[in-house]
Amino acid sequence: MARDSLFKNRLRNIILMISSQLLLTLFVGYWLVSQFDGEKDKLRKDIRDAYYAANYDMMDIKIYECIVLPIIQNPDSIHPETICFENIELEDAHKKMVVNDILEFLKTNEEIPTKLQNHYSSEYPRENKEENFQLALNTLRSIVHRRGLTGYYHYPAIQVQKYHLPYNKAYFKELYQKRLDKKGIKVTSVWFDAKNEIEPDPETIYVDRYNYNTKDHELALLVEDFIWYLLKVILPQIIFAFVLLSLTAFALIFTYRGYLKQMRLNILRSDFINNITHELKIPVATAKVALEALRSFGLKADAQTTEEYLEMVSKEMNRLDSLTTRVLEHAKMEKQPQNTNMDMLDLNLFAKDMARSMNLINQSHGIQVKLVLSKDPLLAKIDKVYVEGVIKNLMDNSIKYGGDNVSIQLELWQENGRACIAVSDNGPGIPKEYLNKVFDKFFRVPKGDQHNVKGYGLGLSFAHLVMQQHNGSIKAENLKGGGCKFTLRFPV
């Protein structure tokens, strides 16, 4: 039931994490699309502004070059009949009126000629935000228009009409491009001649014009590669969105891994509680039965029976003491490194003593420890009590989990400046997915709530802590022919 509940919680948390990441991704996607659309609208406006601004600029330039400049250069000797209007078909009377109107305006605004010359000699696009100067340009434009001249260059349908100021299509495109360059807009513009019947896609960026011949609007200019340009413009937002989604995804993965770790710890804790409860119940129950027997039948029992009961109680109490001591020692060492009594020992002699001791203990079970010593003397500085406890615990594990006819081998050798001690057996081994987890606190290879093998998942964890204090290492691996091998490495 507990495992089913944990699985359901895990599934629910996974769904919540994925849903939150999807919602964030959708929001970021919507935000990027909004940024793209906003920049697209801005680009559309900039293109139209550059197009129409180039039109007015060219008209003002032609008014200045064709009419105003000759008048400024010869204000006293100019004659309307001789002024060069660059092949503009305009009646002499109208020419005279244009010249007279401009002369009169320039005489009443003495600073304008100098400002005009400075303005048109500067680099294009020119910016002059003086109100009086802008007013002067508008006045000159209105004088020319009032006398019958026109200069709307984005209407090529009427560019060959009479009274039209000179039109230079290449120059008009140059002015338009310079305005885009000043704003850093790098796009390709495709131009269309008059009387075209092309219908632009509303999603594209284009400029239309009014055709006086057809009395309808038509395509004048179309921007081709605006998508790549816009993607470059919003590249910082794209990078920000990518970093944001990456960080949140990393945070979710990190959180999920932490959750899985916590869930595994909960399962291990549950198994540990089940196992240690079982371990505690047996000696408590045995001691309780013995004490009850002594209390109920002690007066009638003989001395030998009483001694047996007391020996039973003592044995179970020692077992309880061993259990609690093991848990407390593990917690103490895990919290703070303990002072170890390091002595320089000959590991060959050390191993012989352990093998002899284990063989005597397990003689009744028919279990013998095979000893393979190092050919050369093997000296290392170790805490004899702790290391002996680690090696004996490994042998006990081989006996517990090795099954019938278990064979244990204790082997010593030197490798890469390290003294190596290995405990191996011919048992079933450890499932591959648990090889790196057997040294975790409270971990036992999952077997449900079965307690056919006693233990509480602290022995190998304690061994790992001991080897850390010796600046050594412990490693578990499965053998090809069956069984597993634990190797301890110490600095020589």
Side-chain angles (χ1 to χ4, degrees):
M1 292 294 293
R3 292 176 184 270
D4 291 341
S5 177
L6 287 172
F7 177 77
K8 290 179 181 178
N9 289 337
R10 176 185 177 185
L11 185 61
R12 183 177 67 248
N13 289 333
I14 291 174
I15 292 173
L16 287 175
M17 289 179 179
I18 293 176
S19 300
S20 61
Q21 185 67 15
L22 285 176
L23 287 174
L24 179 62
T25 303
L26 290 174
F27 173 78
V28 171
Y30 173 78
W31 175 69
L32 285 177
V33 171
S34 300
Q35 293 290 312
F36 183 88
D37 290 340
E39 291 295 336
K40 183 178 179 181
D41 292 338
K42 182 177 180 297
L43 178 61
R44 183 179 284 113
K45 181 179 181 300
D46 289 340
I47 292 292
R48 296 182 69 86
D49 289 348
Y51 183 90
Y52 289 111
N55 169 70
Y56 283 107
D57 289 342
M58 185 170 177
M59 180 170 56
D60 291 339
I61 290 170
K62 290 302 179 182
I63 292 174
Y64 173 75
E65 291 178 350
C66 298
I67 303 173
V68 177
L69 184 60
I71 294 175
I72 292 175
Q73 292 173 342
N74 302 286
D76 298 325
S77 59
I78 191 71
H79 295 284
E81 294 82 3
T82 59
I83 191 173
C84 176
F85 278 80
E86 289 198 7
N87 300 322
I88 300 174
E89 297 184 17
L90 189 65
E91 296 176 2
D92 290 342
H94 281 223
K95 291 181 180 180
K96 185 175 182 179
M97 285 187 285
V98 169
V99 172
N100 288 337
D101 288 347
I102 292 177
L103 275 171
E104 183 179 352
F105 172 72
L106 295 178
K107 286 178 181 179
T108 56
N109 297 272
E110 296 179 356
E111 77 282 359
I112 293 302
T114 302
K115 288 185 176 181
L116 285 171
Q117 287 177 313
N118 293 336
H119 177 73
Y120 286 109
S121 62
S122 61
E123 185 179 358
Y124 186 85
R126 310 173 183 97
E127 296 293 339
N128 193 321
K129 297 182 180 180
E130 292 184 23
E131 187 176 351
N132 291 337
F133 183 76
Q134 294 298 326
L135 211 56
L137 290 180
N138 293 335
T139 302
L140 291 172
R141 198 181 298 152
S142 64
I143 291 172
V144 172
H145 290 175
R146 188 168 65 245
R147 298 308 177 185
L149 292 176
T150 185
Y152 292 103
Y153 296 99
H154 65 289
Y155 299 138
I158 61 170
Q159 68 183 31
V160 295
Q161 288 184 341
K162 293 192 306 179
Y163 317 137
H164 198 285
L165 290 170
Y167 175 77
N168 186 325
K169 186 176 182 180
Y171 187 46
F172 177 43
K173 291 181 179 181
E174 182 182 345
L175 297 180
Y176 162 80
Q177 191 60 48
K178 284 184 176 181
R179 283 196 165 271
L180 293 187
D181 292 341
K182 185 177 181 180
K183 290 190 174 184
I185 300 175
K186 304 295 182 182
V187 294
T188 302
S189 302
V190 181
W191 299 77
F192 295 88
D193 294 327
K195 298 181 182 180
N196 66 79
E197 298 181 357
I198 301 174
E199 290 291 336
D201 187 340
E203 296 299 320
T204 59
I205 296 177
Y206 63 92
V207 178
D208 58 358
R209 62 179 169 235
Y210 184 75
N211 191 317
Y212 282 90
N213 294 333
T214 61
K215 307 299 181 183
D216 196 8
H217 286 83
E218 63 185 8
L219 184 64
L221 177 149
L222 180 67
V223 178
E224 282 191 328
D225 53 353
F226 65 91
I227 293 180
W228 287 110
Y229 167 76
L230 292 176
L231 290 176
K232 291 179 181 178
V233 171
I234 66 170
L235 183 60
Q237 291 93 319
I238 294 175
I239 294 175
F240 171 77
F242 176 77
V243 171
L244 176 63
L245 291 176
S246 299
L247 287 176
T248 54
F250 175 78
L252 286 176
I253 292 173
F254 182 78
T255 303
Y256 179 66
R257 290 181 64 182
Y259 170 76
L260 287 181
K261 184 177 180 180
Q262 187 62 41
M263 188 174 67
R264 285 195 296 268
L265 288 175
N266 289 338
I267 294 174
L268 291 176
R269 183 184 62 183
S270 177
D271 290 343
F272 170 73
I273 292 173
N274 290 334
N275 289 323
I276 204 168
T277 301
H278 180 76
E279 292 284 333
L280 291 171
K281 284 177 67 177
I282 293 175
V284 169
T286 305
K288 184 179 178 181
V289 169
L291 291 174
E292 286 290 338
L294 284 175
R295 187 175 66 178
S296 301
F297 309 106
L299 295 176
K300 299 178 181 180
D302 56 21
Q304 184 178 355
T305 304
T306 301
E307 185 64 28
E308 289 178 357
Y309 280 132
L310 291 176
E311 180 66 25
M312 185 184 301
V313 172
S314 176
K315 183 179 179 181
E316 296 304 327
M317 290 303 102
N318 287 335
R319 184 175 173 185
L320 279 176
D321 180 65
S322 175
L323 173 61
T324 54
T325 300
R326 178 70 67 85
V327 175
L328 291 174
E329 278 188 358
H330 187 285
K332 192 175 180 181
M333 181 173 284
E334 188 178 38
K335 185 176 181 181
Q336 183 177 0
Q338 301 300 300
N339 294 325
T340 53
N341 298 317
M342 297 288 193
D343 295 316
M344 186 66 70
L345 297 178
D346 184 335
L347 297 186
N348 282 331
L349 296 177
F350 175 67
K352 283 182 181 180
D353 291 339
M354 277 193 299
R356 186 182 304 111
S357 174
M358 289 300 293
N359 286 334
L360 288 173
I361 293 173
N362 297 287
Q363 188 174 11
S364 60
H365 298 91
I367 298 174
Q368 288 292 314
V369 176
K370 181 181 178 182
L371 185 61
V372 181
L373 299 175
S374 172
K375 295 179 180 179
D376 301 317
L378 196 59
L379 301 177
K381 209 169 188 179
I382 65 172
D383 185 307
K384 182 178 179 181
V385 175
Y386 277 128
V387 175
E388 184 176 354
V390 169
I391 296 176
K392 285 186 175 180
N393 180 68
L394 293 175
M395 293 182 180
D396 284 338
N397 286 344
S398 295
I399 295 171
K400 288 179 183 179
Y401 300 100
D404 299 331
N405 300 319
V406 63
S407 174
I408 302 173
Q409 177 174 289
L410 182 61
E411 183 180 4
L412 290 85
W413 74 95
Q414 184 170 330
E415 179 181 83
N416 299 326
R418 294 266 173 171
C420 303
I421 302 177
V423 177
S424 57
D425 60 48
N426 61 344
I430 301 171
K432 186 177 180 181
E433 62 270 24
Y434 299 123
L435 276 175
N436 294 327
K437 299 178 182 179
V438 292
F439 300 106
D440 293 344
K441 188 178 180 181
F442 302 140
F443 181 84
R444 297 183 70 200
V445 176
K447 291 186 178 180
D449 294 331
Q450 298 177 13
H451 305 285
N452 55 318
V453 178
K454 300 175 182 180
Y456 25 87
L458 290 176
L460 292 178
S461 176
F462 185 77
H464 179 68
L465 292 175
V466 169
M467 294 307 297
Q468 280 186 329
Q469 286 210 321
H470 283 76
N471 294 321
S473 64
I474 181 171
K475 179 183 178 183
E477 56 185 321
N478 286 321
L479 301 175
K480 292 183 179 179
C484 65
K485 178 180 180 180
F486 286 87
T487 304
L488 288 70
R489 288 181 170 85
F490 301 88
V492 174

